[in-house]
């Protein structure tokens, strides 16, 4: 570290005079007291000790003063208005060792303090929040917590789903389709439920946010498939540019303190905050495009009978469909994407602020897909006195989406194109299919997240935190096929309005006691209440008298629908942490919950936890050459509540002739309670070879008891619908391993290589006396099998040149086979980073997912209608050139209509994708005068893929119409997620 001081001189420091004056004037308004002329300044630059590269996002503070600043992209910082005196400086950044230094500030002086921070890949003194009663050091936590830090990511994230993809071992992120606004299906350590959502719960700055997707834009009457058949995710309403870090906890061992809702894991997002010092502005301009990679078959595989055929050509007989794109390519496009962001952060001693605004304008690869989104954020921290701090974080996002009718939709463009001349418009021409685009599928989402947190610390060992948060999403959907629409000539109109809200109240208190020189106790207590409400009002009309832009009541038939759901979950917890010699840590706690969805006879539910952490490398016997190692173990429980009305006896209002009447619907269950997941995990975190190698290993074993299954009822009760009951038992177990190594490091060049392994073995342990049952799309719940297992008829001779022989049991009856799990059983990740001369940075990231099987409903529904399916082109060629006798049993079963059955269209769903390839280039300051740093980033996402050769068309990342809450993954008529190429210019001034 270099330490120097000199007299400050007006007009120096590289700023234009007007900017210095404006910044000083602005800060004088924010400061709690007057800025005295004799105060000094602390400034300097922070770099990586090994590579000498500047470090951004380092928190520089003067201990016990509230004064501090964040380093900018060039590594520089400035702390203004420092009263004369002696101070202890402290520098913190995740991934680096904390640095301290004593300094002396004189009246009117500027002290220059430059630092070199050493890498600390383990980061035992990093602060984590998720899964703990309050902020805790990583060394104290006995369970696995994954962090994604935006300062370490060069890639301009497309959205939060993309940001999380392939970055967290134990997490699978699968995007459903290539449509704009499409949300991802996220799983942490597999499925913990077959009846309830497996999507992790979501928090943003301590505010509970809806994690399940919004409702599909589909009419409330008639076919439930008249839509784009995709799900919009609330997660992607959050602006990635506003995020500082994301913490992920993956199972019940770590989610006890979140209670009844957290068995599937927790994702907590922390957005950026202001800092003490001059205003720092950041502007970003992004331009790019989305491009669909081929997802069909090579044209060379087309059989002789396809020679000369040119489907879906334009009026000139050109731009025809090709089998590489399943013939939909005349409608595909390279969708232009653009984003503009501006943010400012700074503040005085008492008030710090971060304010941002972003505008997105994206075209999709399908012809009608458009997305416009505006988001604004204001984060403020106010400290009127040293013992009291207030934080107010608010974001508002408004998204307008237009989508193309797609999926398993007989009125949509994708299904009708894939089926060619056997489609619902009986046309294999561009002119015949184009009228299907005369359809408005419009969705508007206004999403507000606001939270207020007050932290009072009357003593250094006593802290109280109170938070109030509100999450509100208002979704307006318009689904309009006009008068004269080719497949609905008199027109159909649906208007639906949804309101989703979460109101959060949270209190946590912590009291630390130093029992002896070696032993410290930290006792925490608190309570939380979350009220979730969903309101829907829908209007439906059809049979309009003529063309125009009607409202619903212009229809000859009009219908109205309304629903309201309100669920309250409230609980309290106590927890104690024992710290012995700052190396042995024992944490024990319990949360007790009540939930309005529980049956009347159930009562409160308790979820205990215990964890151990041991910094074995702090022992005297541990050789320093062996590096730093933390051993950890944890056990805990969490739950998943049933639906709002699942415990209640329900009658269905219905007409009986011209009179109103009720029909029995569901019998109810007064003892219905939550699914209860118990999880044990243990592992270690280590850094070795002088911090050049970091390793993180976890073994987990989770059991879900009282699993909710739909149980058939005795018909004589008069209630014919199944009733949810707590009867099952499920299991997930596996390992998570990640490692990162610095293979070479110098001032001008360094190379870092990382990888990860994640495995999951799931099993249904007990059906509770319930018969094995289907979840649809050949997904079954069967004792002793994965959750769920793909079960279907199978062939005994798949590769023989013979007629297909369907498997039968010893009695000669056809017997279905348990083919394999529907969820990936293993994923492998690989990433590498090159720090190149001249400040260039090159990063790459790839992901493999395997071990699962999927049903291809698109292929089966096409083949059974005698469509010449591209997935069968190789079989057709053999049949036409060598005869049926040269075809395998599988080819005959899948591609000869008389033999085809849906069961035969199940494929292994292994795939690999290059998730990211990014080059970051610093822009010389001479090209952009007045800026402190500028960076040009070129990035590609999903730019290359490999798919199992037995997966004939499409790709395994595609999802089904049910969205990411469906427990079974299957294929229907979507287009896959596209590759996205982006150029981003980021300027700080």
């Amino acid at each position: 570290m270099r330490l120097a001081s000199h007299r400050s001189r007006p007009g120096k420091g590289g700023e234009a005079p007007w900017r210095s004056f404006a910044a000083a004037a602005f800060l004088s308004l924010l400061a709690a007291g007057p800025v005295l002329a004799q105060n000094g300044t602390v400034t300097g630059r922070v770099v990586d000790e090994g590579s000498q590269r500047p470090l951004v996002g380092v928190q520089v503070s003067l201990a016990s003063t509230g004064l501090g600043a964040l380093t900018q992209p060039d590594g520089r910082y400035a702390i203004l208005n420092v009263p004369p005196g002696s101070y202890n400086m402290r520098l913190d950044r995740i991934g680096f060792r904390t640095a301290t230094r004593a300094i002396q500030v004189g009246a009117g002086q500027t002290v220059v303090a430059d630092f070199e921070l050493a890498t600390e890949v383990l980061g035992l003194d990093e602060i984590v929040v998720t899964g703990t009663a309050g902020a805790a050091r990583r060394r104290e936590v006995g369970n696995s917590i994954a962090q994604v830090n935006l300062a370490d990511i060069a890639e301009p994230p497309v959205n939060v789903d993309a940001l999380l993809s392939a970055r967290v071992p134990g997490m699978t992120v699968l995007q459903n389709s290539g449509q704009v606004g499409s949300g991802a299906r996220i799983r942490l350590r597999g499925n913990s439920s077959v009846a309830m959502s497996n999507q992790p719960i979501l928090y943003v700055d301590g505010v509970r946010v809806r994690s399940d997707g919004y409702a599909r834009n589909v009419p409330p009457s008639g076919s439930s498939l008249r839509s784009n058949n995709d799900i919009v995710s609330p997660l992607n309403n959050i602006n990635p540019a506003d995020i500082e870090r994301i913490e992920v906890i993956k199972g019940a061992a770590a989610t006890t303190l979140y209670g009844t809702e957290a068995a599937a894991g927790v994702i907590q997002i922390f957005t950026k905050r202001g800092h003490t010092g001059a205003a720092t502005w950041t502007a970003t301009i992004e331009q790019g495009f989305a491009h669909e990679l081929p997802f069909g078959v090579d044209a060379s595989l087309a059989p002789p009978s396809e020679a000369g055929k040119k489907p879906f050509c334009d009026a000139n007989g050109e731009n025809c469909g090709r089998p590489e794109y399943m013939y939909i390519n005349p409608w595909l496009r390279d969708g232009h994407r653009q984003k503009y962001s501006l943010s400012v952060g700074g503040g005085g001693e008492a008030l710090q602020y971060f304010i941002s605004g972003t505008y997105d304008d994206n075209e999709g690869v399908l012809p009608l897909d458009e997305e416009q989104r505006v988001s604004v954020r204001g984060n403020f921290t106010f400290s009127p006195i040293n013992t009291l701090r207030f934080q107010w974080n608010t974001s508002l996002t408004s998204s307008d989406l237009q989508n193309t009718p797609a999926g398993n939709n007989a009125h949509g463009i994708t299904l009708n194109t894939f089926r060619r001349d056997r489609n619902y418009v009986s046309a294999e021409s561009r002119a015949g299919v184009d009228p299907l685009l005369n359809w408005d599928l419009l969705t508007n989402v206004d999403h507000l997240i606001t939270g207020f947190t007050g932290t009072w610390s009357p003593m250094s060992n006593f802290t109280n935190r109170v938070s109030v948060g509100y999450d509100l999403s208002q979704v307006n959907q318009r689904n309009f096929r006009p008068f004269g629409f080719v497949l609905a000539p008199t027109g159909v109109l649906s208007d639906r309005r949804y309101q989703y809200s979460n109101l959060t109240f949270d209190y946590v208190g912590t009291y630390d006691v130093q029992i002896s020189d070696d032993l410290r106790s930290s006792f925490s207590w608190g309570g939380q209440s979350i009220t979730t409400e969903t309101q829907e009002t829908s209007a439906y009309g059809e049979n309009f008298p003529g063309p125009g832009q009607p409202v619903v009541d212009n229809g000859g038939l009009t219908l109205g629908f309304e629903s309201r759901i309100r669920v309250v979950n409230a609980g309290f917890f106590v927890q104690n942490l024992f710290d012995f010699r700052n190396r042995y840590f024992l944490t024990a706690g319990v949360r007790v919950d009540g939930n309005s969805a529980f049956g009347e006879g159930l009562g409160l539910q308790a979820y205990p936890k215990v964890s151990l952490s041991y910094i074995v490398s702090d022992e005297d016997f541990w050789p320093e050459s062996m590096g730093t190692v933390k051993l950890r173990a944890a056990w805990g429980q969490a739950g998943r509540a049933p639906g709002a009305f699942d415990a209640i006896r329900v009658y269905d209002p219905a007409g009986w002739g011209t009179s109103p009447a009720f029909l029995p619907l569901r019998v109810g269950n007064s003892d219905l309670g939550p699914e209860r997941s118990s999880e044990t995990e243990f592992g270690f975190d280590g850094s070795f070879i002088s911090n050049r190698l970091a390793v993180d290993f976890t073994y987990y074993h989770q059991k879900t008891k009282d699993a909710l299954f739909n149980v058939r009822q005795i018909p004589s009760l008069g209630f014919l619908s199944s009733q949810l009951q707590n009867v099952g038992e499920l299991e997930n177990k596996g390992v998570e391993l990640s490692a990162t190594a610095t293979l070479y490091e110098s001032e001008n060049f360094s190379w870092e290589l990382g990888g990860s392994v994640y495995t999951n073995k799931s099993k249904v342990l007990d059906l509770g006396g319930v018969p094995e049952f289907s979840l649809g799309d050949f997904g079954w719940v069967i004792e002793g099998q994965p959750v769920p297992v793909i079960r279907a008829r199978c062939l005994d001779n798949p590769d023989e040149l013979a007629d297909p022989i369907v498997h039968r049991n010893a009695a000669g009856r056809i017997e279905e086979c348990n083919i394999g799990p529907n969820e990936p059983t293993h994923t492998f990740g690989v990433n590498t980073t090159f720090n190149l001369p001249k400040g260039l940075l090159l990063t790459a990231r790839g992901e493999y997912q395997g071990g699962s099987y999927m049903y291809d409903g698109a292929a089966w529904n096409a083949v059974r209608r005698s469509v010449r399916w591209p997935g069968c082109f190789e079989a057709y060629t053999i049949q036409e050139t060598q005869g049926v006798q040269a075809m395998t049993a599988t080819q005959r079963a899948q591609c000869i209509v008389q033999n085809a059955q849906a069961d035969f269209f199940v494929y292994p769903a292994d795939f690999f994708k290059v998730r990211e390839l990014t080059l970051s280039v610093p822009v010389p300051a001479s090209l952009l005068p007045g800026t402190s740093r500028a960076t040009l980033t070129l990035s590609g996402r999903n730019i290359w893929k490999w798919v199992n050769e037995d997966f004939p068309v499409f790709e395994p990342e595609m999802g089904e119409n049910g969205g990411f809450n469906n427990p079974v993954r299957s294929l229907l008529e979507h287009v896959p997620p596209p590759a996205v190429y982006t150029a981003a210019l980021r300027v700080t001034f």
Side-chain angles (χ1 to χ4, degrees):
M1 183 195 81
R2 182 172 64 84
L3 182 64
S5 66
H6 60 81
R7 288 280 178 183
S8 60
R9 291 182 290 177
K12 299 297 181 181
E15 289 188 331
W18 66 268
R19 186 175 293 139
S20 300
F21 176 78
F26 188 54
L27 287 171
S28 68
L29 295 174
L30 296 175
V35 179
L36 302 179
Q38 67 268 27
N39 286 353
T41 300
V42 181
T43 186
R45 187 167 183 261
V46 184
V47 299
D48 184 326
E49 182 183 69
S51 66
Q52 295 297 302
R53 295 179 180 275
L55 294 177
V56 63
V58 179
Q59 178 67 56
V60 185
S61 60
L62 303 181
S64 303
T65 67
L67 298 175
L70 288 174
T71 59
Q72 302 309 305
D74 59 356
R76 299 192 179 278
Y77 69 92
I79 306 175
L80 308 180
N81 303 321
V82 181
S86 300
Y87 299 95
N88 288 317
M89 292 188 68
R90 179 183 173 98
L91 278 75
D92 295 285
R93 187 187 187 278
I94 293 174
F96 291 86
R97 290 180 182 171
T98 297
T100 60
R101 180 78 180 195
I103 62 170
Q104 180 73 35
V105 180
Q109 286 188 328
T110 295
V111 176
V112 178
D114 295 338
F115 285 83
E116 297 180 357
L117 296 189
T119 302
E120 185 180 43
V121 294
L122 193 52
L124 292 177
D125 292 316
E126 293 174 5
I127 300 299
V128 295
V129 174
T130 309
T132 64
R137 296 177 298 165
R138 186 179 288 273
R139 68 169 57 235
E140 300 169 350
V141 180
N143 50 263
S144 170
I145 296 181
Q147 282 191 338
V148 178
N149 301 295
L150 272 293
D152 298 330
I153 296 175
E155 173 196 10
V158 175
N159 51 37
V160 179
D161 287 341
L163 181 63
L164 291 172
S165 180
R167 295 188 188 276
V168 178
M171 171 186 282
T172 57
V173 181
L174 293 166
Q175 189 173 335
N176 283 326
S177 78
Q179 298 185 69
V180 295
S182 179
R185 183 178 190 272
I186 301 176
R187 293 292 181 269
L188 294 170
R189 296 178 176 172
N191 287 326
S192 61
S193 178
V194 297
M196 312 312 297
S197 172
N198 285 287
Q199 200 82 349
I201 61 173
L202 176 64
Y203 282 81
V204 177
D205 294 322
V207 179
R208 175 72 175 274
V209 176
R210 179 180 175 85
S211 53
D212 288 338
Y214 301 128
R216 288 185 297 146
N217 186 354
V218 59
S221 183
S223 172
S224 62
L225 302 174
R226 302 295 176 253
S227 170
N228 63 311
N229 288 304
D230 208 348
I231 302 292
V232 178
S233 171
L235 186 62
N236 289 334
N237 292 333
I238 301 165
N239 183 9
D242 291 344
I243 297 175
E244 178 183 88
R245 74 184 191 279
I246 301 174
E247 294 180 0
V248 180
I249 53 179
K250 307 165 195 173
T255 60
T256 293
L257 297 187
Y258 297 91
T260 296
E261 299 296 322
V266 178
I267 297 173
Q268 184 148 212
I269 295 174
F270 300 89
T271 59
K272 296 176 180 177
R273 293 183 294 171
H275 59 274
T276 302
T280 300
W281 293 82
T282 301
T284 305
I285 299 174
E286 296 182 20
Q287 297 289 320
F289 63 94
H291 172 73
E292 194 69 73
L293 300 179
F295 55 89
V297 299
D298 192 281
S300 64
L301 296 177
S305 57
E306 293 288 320
K309 288 189 176 182
K310 294 184 177 181
F312 304 121
C313 300
D314 60 22
N316 298 321
E318 300 175 346
N319 301 317
C320 305
R322 294 184 57 83
E324 292 91 340
Y325 289 92
M326 301 294 290
Y327 299 102
I328 199 174
N329 56 293
W331 289 275
L332 295 178
R333 62 182 178 182
D334 288 341
H336 179 231
R337 304 175 61 89
Q338 56 185 329
K339 177 187 289 187
Y340 306 93
S341 300
L342 181 65
S343 67
V344 59
E349 296 179 27
L351 177 65
Q352 297 88 46
Y353 60 89
F354 173 81
I355 301 171
S356 72
T358 299
Y359 171 71
D360 291 82
D361 184 10
N362 301 319
E363 294 179 342
V365 294
L366 290 174
L368 299 182
D369 276 23
E370 305 279 350
E371 177 185 33
Q372 288 82 37
R373 181 168 60 238
V374 176
S375 60
V376 294
R377 172 174 291 279
N379 291 351
F380 303 91
T381 302
F382 177 52
S383 304
I385 56 177
N386 289 337
T387 59
L388 186 61
R389 183 180 66 185
F390 298 107
Q391 290 179 281
W392 180 34
N393 298 336
T394 299
S395 69
L396 177 63
T397 302
S398 181
S399 301
D400 290 305
L401 292 167
Q402 175 176 291
N403 286 112
T404 305
N408 186 19
N409 180 358
H411 293 190
I413 186 174
T414 53
L415 180 147
N416 282 284
T417 305
F418 296 159
R419 294 188 186 176
R420 300 168 66 191
D421 61 328
R422 297 278 180 168
N423 58 28
Y424 286 91
V425 292
S426 300
E428 199 173 8
S429 65
R430 177 78 185 259
V433 175
D434 273 345
L436 295 172
L437 298 176
N438 188 23
W439 188 329
D440 289 339
L441 278 168
L442 308 177
T443 301
N444 168 259
V445 181
D446 292 328
H447 192 179
L448 170 70
I449 305 173
T450 185
F452 181 85
T453 299
T455 304
W456 179 48
S457 303
M459 296 180 289
S460 60
N461 63 337
F462 181 32
T463 301
N464 299 270
R465 187 188 73 210
V466 177
S467 299
V468 180
Y470 188 57
D471 166 53
L472 174 65
S473 298
Q474 293 181 321
V475 182
N476 294 320
Q477 298 175 340
R478 185 174 178 85
N479 188 320
F480 177 45
R481 283 163 283 168
F483 182 89
F485 185 79
V486 61
L487 295 177
T490 59
V492 179
L493 173 60
S494 165
D495 281 323
R496 308 186 79 170
R497 289 172 173 80
Y498 295 87
Q499 179 172 296
Y500 305 93
S501 67
N502 290 282
L503 180 61
T504 306
F505 292 95
D506 198 349
Y507 165 74
V508 176
T510 301
Y511 185 67
D512 287 344
V513 178
Q514 193 69 43
I515 300 174
S516 68
D517 291 342
D518 291 332
L519 181 62
R520 175 179 66 93
S521 170
S522 180
F523 180 69
S524 299
W525 65 96
Q528 184 184 67
S529 171
I530 299 172
T531 302
T532 301
E533 293 191 64
T534 302
Q535 300 179 14
E536 177 204 353
T537 305
S538 302
Y540 174 86
E542 62 179 43
N543 296 331
F544 296 105
Q549 289 290 327
V551 292
V552 168
D553 64 5
N554 295 153
L557 171 67
T558 60
L559 300 170
F561 305 86
E562 182 181 16
S563 71
R564 295 173 181 265
I565 299 174
R566 183 174 183 266
V567 176
V568 178
N569 188 87
F572 62 90
F573 75 89
V574 291
Q575 173 183 290
N576 198 80
L577 164 69
F578 292 101
D579 170 0
F580 184 64
R581 295 183 177 177
N582 200 35
R583 70 187 67 159
Y584 309 94
F585 303 93
L586 169 65
T587 302
V590 63
R591 168 153 175 162
V592 180
D593 263 8
N595 189 292
S596 60
F598 293 172
E600 293 180 359
L602 189 69
L604 301 178
Q605 296 293 292
Y607 304 99
K609 66 170 287 186
V610 63
S611 68
L612 296 166
S613 175
Y614 175 32
I615 316 302
V616 63
S617 55
D618 283 355
E619 298 286 3
D620 294 337
F621 63 76
W622 188 266
E624 185 175 349
S625 60
M626 292 290 289
T628 304
V629 175
K630 166 189 165 183
L631 305 178
R632 49 181 167 77
W635 173 87
Q637 293 184 340
R640 178 63 89 182
F645 304 117
D646 289 339
I648 302 171
R649 177 165 293 189
V650 178
Y651 295 86
D652 186 24
W656 187 263
T658 59
S659 301
F662 287 101
L663 295 177
L665 183 62
R666 191 166 53 246
V667 67
N669 180 1
S670 61
D671 294 325
L672 190 68
E675 300 177 316
R676 179 181 294 271
S677 294
S678 301
E679 184 178 63
T680 301
E681 69 168 53
F682 59 84
F684 71 90
D685 307 323
S687 65
F688 310 97
I689 317 176
S690 301
N691 278 317
R692 288 181 173 271
L693 174 65
V695 179
D696 185 320
F697 172 82
T698 301
Y699 169 82
Y700 66 91
H701 186 188
Q702 179 190 98
K703 286 187 178 181
T704 299
K705 295 186 177 181
D706 300 328
L708 292 166
F709 292 167
N710 277 305
V711 180
R712 299 172 187 171
Q713 300 302 299
I714 302 171
S716 60
L717 293 175
F719 292 84
L720 302 182
S721 296
S722 297
Q723 169 65 48
L724 278 183
Q725 293 186 13
N726 300 102
V727 296
E729 185 174 349
L730 313 174
E731 178 186 67
N732 285 285
K733 60 182 178 180
V735 299
E736 298 160 356
L737 172 66
S738 64
T740 302
T742 301
L743 301 181
Y744 181 81
E745 186 175 45
S746 68
E747 184 173 348
N748 293 318
F749 177 81
S750 67
W751 178 23
E752 186 178 273
L753 182 64
S756 64
V757 176
Y758 158 61
T759 68
N760 178 266
K761 183 178 181 181
S762 67
K763 184 188 293 187
V764 179
L765 296 179
D766 190 356
L767 287 172
V770 175
E772 55 194 36
F773 56 93
S774 172
L775 299 173
D777 292 337
F778 296 103
W780 282 76
V781 176
I782 301 173
E783 200 165 289
Q785 295 297 322
V787 187
V789 65
I790 297 297
R791 180 182 186 182
R793 297 180 180 184
C794 61
L795 302 179
D796 285 337
N797 60 336
D799 299 321
E800 292 182 7
L801 301 181
D803 287 334
I805 301 175
V806 179
H807 178 71
R808 297 175 183 270
N809 60 20
R813 297 176 181 173
I814 292 177
E815 184 178 58
E816 294 175 327
C817 303
N818 297 322
I819 297 174
N822 183 237
E823 288 290 319
T825 60
H826 50 275
T827 69
F828 305 122
V830 61
N831 64 86
T832 189
T833 300
F834 295 93
N835 286 292
L836 305 172
K838 305 296 184 181
L840 275 67
L841 178 69
L842 178 65
T843 64
R845 184 177 302 273
E847 179 185 35
Y848 168 85
Q849 295 188 22
S852 64
Y853 294 82
M854 295 177 68
Y855 161 61
D856 183 357
W860 154 243
N861 282 288
V863 170
R864 74 187 181 98
R865 290 171 170 84
S866 299
V867 173
R868 300 280 288 176
W869 189 245
C872 288
F873 273 4
E874 188 173 3
Y876 297 155
T877 299
I878 295 173
Q879 182 182 17
E880 293 175 15
T881 59
Q882 302 177 51
V884 173
Q885 66 275 8
M887 298 171 64
T888 66
T890 297
Q891 290 172 332
R892 299 184 201 188
Q894 292 178 343
C895 303
I896 296 178
V897 178
Q898 295 85 345
N899 298 333
Q901 297 181 40
D903 307 63
F904 302 147
F905 293 86
V906 173
Y907 317 133
D910 307 337
F911 74 93
F912 174 85
K913 285 192 176 183
V914 176
R915 293 296 193 186
E916 170 201 353
L917 181 62
T918 299
L919 176 64
S920 180
V921 182
V923 178
S926 59
L927 297 180
L928 295 169
T931 64
S932 62
R933 183 176 173 85
T935 305
L936 176 66
T937 302
L938 306 175
S939 182
R941 173 170 175 76
N942 292 337
I943 59 175
W944 187 84
K945 63 183 177 183
W946 169 88
V947 175
N948 189 302
E949 62 181 8
D950 292 328
F951 205 98
V953 294
F954 300 127
E955 67 172 56
E957 195 167 12
M958 290 171 56
E960 70 297 315
N961 291 349
F964 48 79
N965 290 336
N966 195 320
V968 182
R969 297 174 56 228
S970 64
L971 286 168
L972 288 170
E973 293 84 353
H974 287 292
V975 297
V980 177
Y981 302 88
T982 306
L985 178 64
R986 187 173 189 266
V987 180
T988 303
F989 54 95

